[in-house]
Amino acid sequence: MSTENEGTAVPPAPSAPPVPVDAPAAPAPQGQPPQGQAPQGQAPQGQGPYAQDSQGQPAHGQGVPGDAAHHGVSSSAPDPSWPPPPPPASPSYGDGGSGSGGGWGSSYQQPAPKSGRGRGGLVAAILVAALAAGGLGGGLGYTLAKNNDENTGSTTVSASTSGGDVKRDPGTVAGVAAKALPSTVTIEAESNSGEGGTGTGFVFDKQGHIVTNNHVVAGAVDGGKLTATFPSGKKYDAEVVGHAQGYDVAVIKLKNAPGDLKPLTLGDSDKVAVGDATIAIGAPFGLSDTVTTGIISAKNRPVASSDGTGSQASYMSALQTDASINPGNSGGPLLDAQGNVIGINSAIQSTGNGGFGTGQSGSIGLGFAIPINQAEYVAQELIKTGKPVYAKIGASVSLDDSSDGAQITDQGTTPVEPGGPAAEAGLKPGDVITKLDDRVIDSGPTLIGEIWTHKPGDKVTITYERGGKEHTVELTLGSRVGDN
């Protein structure tokens, strides 16, 4: 699962077809090119405001446009429908968006651009022509409407208020966003080496505690710099109170926290149902205060993710949502339709790590959130002691890919902890755990994620196989303090 703030270039769109050639236009005044045609020796810029970057070079991922009118041929002035609709976007599968190869029919080969200075000549002419056409159309429209009003009377009804004055009910997405946004922050974390990233968090209590992901603040744990910025623009320095790498949960605290903080209401993730509406708030690719919507796509989804530092993975029994989540959404709240926090957005499956044939990274509708019932318990422990507390069965399981269950490994000096819960229940190396309560266990990571949804002291029922026979035993979960 991707938890990194990474991205790749957008694949280039295929070039636009040449401008249709009409009857020769009337000769232009001496020294000026005909309207819609570039002066000799000048090549047009690409169409649209995003064809070039700020340095005037072709934007990353964009094809270099060719001539819009061939040498020696004059094109007529564009009609009011100019510019024509853009061509279909190139496929992102198979060739990675390179534009080579077939699959969508034969591609148009754009002529090579002419060399020379003053590339903006034709674009300026085209834009002026387009604006003129738009002005002409608008003028005709106004004249016709005016005449129609004078002749038959208008039937148009104008709104008495603008959209900004409309009252939005609390249950609407706009109502939920308006209430929740002031209690979310964009977190900027910077390590001692100057490396940093952007994530999200939300107000947990009135004392200034902010809940987020561990991987958002991991780089700033040892003497780094943290800031939290509210949608109002107010920025506060912050410090890490505690972080749980295994849970991927962290708590930071605002320095000089304001007295008017409004904590978000925490919901009950155990009562969430597949199909329930979801609202995600975050800063995807640094775009702060972004709101997206979707549904709960699945529950209890086993997910293992890494913070990208090479340390141990995090495990969760996650809520899956199709709300658009991208790098930078990490740590932000996943809300229900009433605005209650039901999860912490933490990981995504993307084409960059999903084997879809491209290197792109970003939302494909597979986002995963830590259930808030688990995150709330972890956050409270971090605030109390600064250290996470994990439930455990006292046995080491294989982390290899499997679909048959979680096998207690026979490697190491103590695969089953003497006197621990597993040993007390009679579990031995080689046993394969297939269920924890009513949850099917298909691998070691799945078992770990399910155990960590419980608290130390909880009683659970373990179903396991030994020698081809199935056994069931009840045990009480033990505890482990810290990530080491």
Side-chain angles (χ1 to χ4, degrees):
M1 295 300 145
S2 171
T3 59
E4 296 298 304
N5 194 1
E6 60 187 359
T8 57
V10 178
S15 303
V19 176
V21 177
D22 204 345
Q30 182 116 13
Q32 295 183 2
Q35 186 177 11
Q37 180 179 347
Q40 293 275 343
Q42 293 185 359
Q45 289 179 315
Q47 298 177 17
Y50 302 106
Q52 292 185 325
D53 61 19
S54 59
Q55 283 74 38
Q57 299 298 320
H60 187 60
Q62 299 284 346
V64 178
D67 290 340
H70 296 287
H71 175 66
V73 180
S74 297
S75 60
S76 61
D79 62 20
S81 65
W82 179 266
S90 61
S92 59
Y93 299 104
D95 63 358
S98 63
S100 61
W104 289 83
S106 59
S107 59
Y108 169 76
Q109 298 296 323
Q110 187 87 349
K114 295 180 181 179
S115 61
R117 60 183 179 82
R119 296 191 48 166
L122 182 57
V123 158
I126 290 174
L127 291 178
V128 169
L131 289 172
L136 177 62
L140 289 174
Y142 171 77
T143 301
L144 292 175
K146 184 174 184 297
N147 292 339
N148 186 61
D149 288 348
E150 292 175 350
N151 295 333
T152 62
S154 174
T155 58
T156 303
V157 178
S158 300
S160 59
T161 58
S162 66
D165 296 328
V166 176
K167 181 179 180 180
R168 292 172 174 84
D169 295 332
T172 63
V173 174
V176 170
K179 184 178 179 180
L181 274 169
S183 297
T184 62
V185 296
T186 298
I187 298 173
E188 294 182 4
E190 184 178 318
S191 67
N192 288 325
S193 62
E195 296 180 355
T198 301
T200 309
F202 62 92
V203 177
F204 186 69
D205 58 27
K206 294 183 178 181
Q207 285 69 47
H209 291 109
I210 305 292
V211 172
T212 185
N213 281 143
N214 172 74
H215 72 262
V216 170
V217 302
V221 168
D222 297 322
K225 181 181 179 181
L226 275 178
T227 61
T229 305
F230 285 84
S232 64
K234 293 182 178 179
K235 178 181 288 189
Y236 297 87
D237 291 331
E239 59 184 355
V240 177
V241 173
H243 61 106
Q245 189 275 327
Y247 290 121
D248 197 17
V249 174
V251 176
I252 65 175
K253 188 174 183 181
L254 305 178
K255 297 179 180 179
N256 301 317
D260 59 349
L261 291 175
K262 295 181 179 180
L264 290 183
T265 303
L266 305 184
D268 187 349
S269 52
D270 289 340
K271 295 181 179 179
V272 170
V274 173
D276 282 351
T278 58
I279 301 169
I281 299 179
F285 296 103
L287 300 174
S288 302
D289 315 319
T290 295
V291 177
T292 57
T293 63
I295 62 169
I296 293 292
S297 304
K299 297 178 61 177
N300 309 118
R301 188 70 79 190
V303 174
S305 62
S306 170
D307 63 6
T309 63
S311 59
Q312 297 177 353
S314 303
Y315 300 96
M316 68 184 92
S317 182
L319 297 174
Q320 180 182 327
T321 181
D322 67 346
S324 182
I325 295 174
N326 288 285
N329 276 103
S330 290
L334 184 68
L335 309 170
D336 62 17
Q338 288 71 45
N340 304 312
V341 182
I342 54 175
I344 300 176
N345 301 317
S346 181
I348 60 172
Q349 180 73 45
S350 71
T351 56
N353 54 23
F356 286 93
T358 71
Q360 296 180 21
S361 138
S363 174
I364 57 173
L366 294 174
F368 305 96
I370 303 166
I372 195 59
N373 290 7
Q374 176 184 8
E376 180 183 13
Y377 162 73
V378 176
Q380 289 172 342
E381 290 297 321
L382 292 176
I383 292 172
K384 289 179 183 177
T385 67
K387 296 182 179 180
V389 179
Y390 297 90
K392 68 174 186 177
I393 63 170
S396 299
V397 295
S398 173
L399 299 180
D400 295 338
D401 290 338
S402 171
S403 60
D404 300 327
Q407 183 176 27
I408 299 179
T409 182
D410 55 4
Q411 300 177 357
T413 56
T414 56
V416 178
E417 179 185 328
E424 292 291 332
L427 294 173
K428 299 179 180 180
D431 291 346
V432 178
I433 298 174
T434 58
K435 277 188 178 182
L436 190 150
D437 291 333
D438 59 348
R439 297 277 186 265
V440 174
I441 303 299
D442 58 5
S443 66
T446 302
L447 176 63
I448 296 172
E450 287 297 333
I451 290 173
W452 286 354
T453 64
H454 292 78
K455 301 176 183 178
D458 286 352
K459 293 183 181 296
V460 297
T461 300
I462 298 291
T463 301
Y464 67 96
E465 293 180 356
R466 178 190 296 170
K469 295 182 179 180
E470 187 175 271
H471 305 271
T472 301
V473 66
E474 187 179 81
L475 58 80
T476 301
L477 296 174
S479 67
R480 171 173 65 87
V481 178
D483 281 313
N484 297 325

